[in-house]
């Protein structure tokens, strides 16, 4: 472990390497205060949803925040996604949310969010954001980093500070008025109006993304009838 530091009044645990900051955060969640952050320089087994691999070499921001809202809510993922969008804006990079858990710049993914719960009350918000890390060959067409967008190396500390500032704000808003959070999600979700294909546990469904509803689900127009999707993997049909 490198050390424990503090950024805007919270405990930050900085690790050299860990399998997954989410797993580490879940293992300590009961013993540490809400808001504790785990950051790792590298993850040896960074993970995405459904056991997928998250590529996490040195130079990126791989972090997990422990929240204790007292309940589990599928909309918590949007606290992470909006915080990343706002952080990128602070560094002059426009981005949008690809429902439900990706942040994209143009047509490429710059960040992914993985929310996991620990029991009924504790939630870990894992955020992987490509900052200065190299993008591996196999992801060149689909992934992008802040370095690539800005042309300069960006200190990880300043990205983390900005991210935590926005996370605090969106978490507060979520607790006070989740509809306000969802209104912002709707505004930032760039897939609305586009034709998409969603793969979920119920199978594959294709249609035009119409809205993100207040419960966090995606509303699709499938040949004139509206279908609600609670969760899934979205792929975009080309614009032209
Ligand atoms: C995600 O999953 O996008 C959630 C990623 C969450 C990562 C953070 S890092 C800190 C914390 N600790 C963890 O162990 N995880 C969290 P999903 O929607 O399933 O997307 C996974 C897919 O994204 C992979 O199958 C790849 O196609 C792609 N991918 C992997 N690494 C990437 C990277 N560094 N940048 C962009 N795309 C990547």
């Amino acid at each position: 472990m490198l050390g424990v530091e503090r950024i805007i009044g919270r405990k930050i645990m900085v690790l050299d390497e860990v399998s997954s900051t989410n797993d580490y955060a879940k293992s300590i969640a009961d013993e540490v205060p809400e808001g504790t952050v785990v950051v790792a320089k590298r993850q040896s087994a960074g993970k995405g949803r459904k056991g997928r691999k998250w590529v996490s070499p040195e130079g990126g921001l791989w972090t997990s925040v422990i929240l204790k809202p007292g309940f589990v809510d599928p909309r918590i993922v949007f606290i992470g996604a909006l915080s990343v969008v706002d952080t990128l804006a602070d560094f002059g990079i426009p981005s949008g949310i690809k429902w439900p858990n990706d942040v994209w710049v143009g047509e490429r993914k710059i960040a992914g969010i993985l929310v996991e719960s620990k029991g009924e009350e504790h939630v870990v918000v894992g955020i992987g954001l490509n900052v200065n890390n190299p993008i591996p060959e196999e992801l060149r067409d689909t992934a992008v980093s802040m370095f690539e967008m800005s042309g300069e190396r960006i200190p990880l500390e300043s990205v983390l500070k900005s991210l935590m500032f926005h996370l605090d704000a969106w978490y507060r808003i979520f607790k006070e008025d989740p509809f306000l959070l969802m209104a912002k999600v709707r505004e930032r979700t760039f897939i609305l109006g586009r034709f998409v294909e969603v793969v979920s546990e119920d199978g594959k469904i294709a249609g035009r993304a119409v809205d993100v509803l207040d419960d966090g689900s995606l509303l699709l127009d499938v040949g004139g009838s509206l279908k609600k999707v609670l969760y899934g993997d979205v792929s975009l049909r080309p614009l032209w």
Side-chain angles (χ1 to χ4, degrees), residues 18-23 38 43 45-57 61-64 98 100-103 108-116 124-130 133-136 138-139 142-144 231-233:
V18 71
S19 53
S20 153
T21 55
N22 263 32
D23 289 347
V38 178
Q43 294 185 115
K47 55 183 185 174
R49 296 177 301 157
K50 299 185 201 142
R52 286 188 285 241
K53 184 179 168 192
W54 182 259
V55 179
S56 330
L61 184 59
W62 324 125
T63 184
S64 299
K98 178 168 155 290
N101 71 312
D102 283 4
V103 177
R108 288 184 291 169
K109 178 164 174 171
I110 198 162
I113 322 292
L114 177 67
V115 175
E116 294 183 284
V124 168
V125 181
I127 299 174
L129 173 58
N130 296 322
N133 55 295
I135 302 292
E138 72 269 19
L139 294 176
T142 55
V144 67
Y231 195 71
D233 281 310

Side-chain angles (χ1 to χ4, degrees), residues 30-121:
D30 293 340
E31 285 89 50
V32 295
E34 172 166 59
T36 299
V37 179
V38 178
V39 183
K41 282 188 174 177
R42 296 175 296 275
Q43 294 185 115
S44 54
K47 55 183 185 174
R49 296 177 301 157
K50 299 185 201 142
R52 286 188 285 241
K53 184 179 168 192
W54 182 259
V55 179
S56 330
E58 203 159 328
L61 184 59
W62 324 125
T63 184
S64 299
V65 184
I66 296 164
L67 300 180
K68 303 191 172 184
F71 55 88
V72 176
D73 187 308
R75 296 173 297 189
I76 290 177
V77 67
F78 301 120
I79 298 173
L82 283 173
S83 304
V84 170
V85 169
D86 284 352
T87 298
L88 289 167
D90 288 344
F91 290 88
I93 302 171
S95 64
I97 298 172
K98 178 168 155 290
W99 183 92
N101 71 312
D102 283 4
V103 177
W104 279 29
V105 172
E107 298 277 307
R108 288 184 291 169
K109 178 164 174 171
I110 198 162
I113 322 292
L114 177 67
V115 175
E116 294 183 284
S117 51
K118 170 90 190 284
E120 293 292 302
E121 304 196 335

